[in-house]
Amino acid sequence: MALAQIIDGKALAQSVREKVGTAVGSLKSQHNIIPGLTVILVGENPASQVYVRNKAKFTEQLGMTSRVIQLPQTCSQSELLSHINELNQDDKVHGILVQLPLPDQIESSEVLNHIRPEKDVDGFHSVNVGKLCIGQPCFVPCTPLGSVMLIKQVRANLAGAHAVIVGRSNIVGKPMVQLLLQENCTVSVAHSRTKDLAAITKQADILIAAVGRPEMITADHVKPGTIVIDVGINRVPAPEKGEGKTKLVGDVAFDEVANIASAITPVPGGVGPMTIACLLRNTLQAACESANIDMSQI
């Protein structure tokens, strides 16, 4: 029996979506503006297709305009940039998202920086990354933003907490550092070259696992009472379900860590739903800013 509080990402995500949906309705009735999100999907990666379908479903549920541009795996970089150019010029498109990962022939950083910063609802453009680093208003990457919101469900004031992030990606690890510094945490970052990982992670009051390695963080990595946020989503064999069956697990060995931590996010049902909820929130923000409307006033 797990001792830790299970942090319910589905419930918080629903709350965020409800607030966004109310604001979308007000924006439409008061200003005749409908937030629009366009997602570009290159290739047929099964996991990416699931993410894109979920994004489109929730976007439409909240009364936003949703469009998915599906391009072949063989798509050239110039063709992809041409689509982005068109979306950059379309006033009805407030948010542009290019689903990662991209095929090898496409340079991801160039593509992400081709999106106008004010339409970069993923928060990956260099302008938004830079603004986040110096504490200016910007679009914040959705997974780190959602993760911090989940942490604050358990501990509202994070000042003075030691947060350890396992993983240094541009998508999660690095922006997470900036968000936690803004919350006045002491932040440590561990990664593949870290020596004696457990010695570092056992110092954490808040432990964020974002490495993409199934159940890598075990009870030996966690001190009692830690808040554990599991960003990983890994599909692994599940022989107990039958031959050829699989299941989703995180980067944390949930069953054993849940007996030590004070609170922990499950996989699935933790960080994942918050990522999409924060994307919808960012799209609303983009629509408001395009018309110089204060989002907090609608």
Side-chain angles (χ1 to χ4, degrees), residues 7 42-43 50 54 70 84 113 130 149 152 159 165 217 242 278:
I7 308 172
V42 182
V50 171
N54 286 336
Q70 173 83 54
I84 293 173
N113 277 323
M149 293 171 71
K152 296 185 82 169
I165 303 163
I217 301 298
C278 288

Side-chain angles (χ1 to χ4, degrees), residues 202 217-223 253 256-257 260:
K202 274 194 166 181
I217 301 298
T218 66
D220 292 336
H221 293 87
V222 182
K223 75 175 182 182
E256 57 182 271
V257 172
I260 299 172

